[in-house]
Amino acid sequence: MKMKMKMKKLFAISALSILLVACGGEAEKKEDSSITVGKSTEETTSSESEEETSTQDENGVIELSLEGNDQMKYNKKRLRAQAGAEVELTFKHVGEMSKQAMGHNFVLLKKGTDIMEFAANAAGAVDNDYIPEDSSNIIAHSEMLGGGETTVLKFTAPTEKGEYDFVCSFPGHVSLMKGKFIVN
Ligand SMILES: [Cu+2]
């Protein structure tokens, strides 16, 4: 059953890619849909082995990766995980700038959180790496990184399916540094 689902998903992505290619001029969207499945599948076509489509390790932990850079950007707009799954997110600041000038973190927010309001609150939490004292909107967050640093964040994906926002809470970054964490 699980295998079937995966194949279906893969097929859907391939079909989408073909559709977008057929339409033309939608290359960016196509890329967007493929990177969400996980690094191992980025160059995988539908004819390749199913194991490569899985982002889960042998213990069922979903391994995700995300980068932030000196241009104030994440390298992915979407991350995916199954509801309730254990997630291990490797988050890397691939730039060279300091944490004080260009710090990045990953903050996963509960549904219904106003991200601009959250960011405004976070901006005041200077002494706490821009994690607001009232963390009731936060599902999980990484530490704040400076250029060249990497952290691994472990958390449990929400049990409710749907789209959740993730943001960088460094002041002024949310407008560019935000994405969707998709639970399915
Ligand atoms: Cu940032």
Side-chain angles (χ1 to χ4, degrees):
M1 189 60 189
K2 228 175 176 185
M3 297 276 261
K4 262 188 180 170
M5 289 294 286
K6 272 178 202 155
M7 282 188 72
K8 252 186 178 175
K9 193 169 153 192
L10 191 63
F11 177 75
I13 290 162
S14 312
L16 182 68
S17 303
I18 290 160
L19 195 69
L20 289 170
V21 168
C23 294
E26 295 275 353
E28 206 175 314
K29 272 190 184 168
K30 178 192 158 199
E31 196 177 314
D32 201 43
S33 67
S34 60
I35 56 176
T36 58
V37 190
K39 204 164 192 180
S40 60
T41 60
E42 267 179 42
E43 288 112 7
T44 307
T45 64
S46 56
S47 62
E48 287 180 44
S49 77
E50 280 168 42
E51 279 79 10
E52 286 182 50
T53 69
S54 177
T55 54
Q56 280 173 289
D57 72 7
E58 65 271 23
N59 299 315
V61 177
I62 298 177
E63 294 171 328
L64 300 175
S65 63
L66 181 67
E67 294 173 2
N69 64 19
D70 283 345
Q71 284 70 50
M72 211 196 289
K73 281 187 175 162
Y74 287 131
N75 67 335
K76 294 176 184 172
K77 289 189 168 70
R78 291 179 201 182
L79 296 170
R80 274 177 206 276
Q82 277 90 346
E86 291 305 311
V87 176
E88 200 173 291
L89 172 72
T90 302
F91 178 51
K92 185 175 185 184
H93 190 320
V94 296
E96 293 176 354
M97 291 173 75
S98 72
K99 179 175 144 180
Q100 288 72 29
M102 184 58 70
H104 296 317
N105 64 4
F106 166 91
V107 184
L108 181 61
L109 297 168
K110 288 183 183 166
K111 267 188 194 170
T113 303
D114 181 324
I115 62 171
M116 296 316 282
E117 197 180 309
F118 173 81
N121 285 335
V126 187
D127 297 333
N128 196 36
D129 273 351
Y130 303 110
I131 296 299
E133 204 173 305
D134 173 12
S135 59
S136 58
N137 288 323
I138 300 176
I139 295 170
H141 72 85
S142 76
E143 56 187 298
M144 188 70 73
L145 302 182
E149 296 181 323
T150 301
T151 189
V152 176
L153 173 66
K154 293 179 185 180
F155 63 97
T156 306
T159 51
E160 192 187 333
K161 294 179 183 181
E163 292 190 0
Y164 297 74
D165 290 304
F166 67 84
V167 299
C168 171
S169 68
F170 192 92
H173 286 200
V174 69
S175 55
L176 287 175
M177 298 188 75
K178 62 187 172 200
K180 296 288 183 189
F181 188 89
I182 299 162
V183 175
N184 46 21

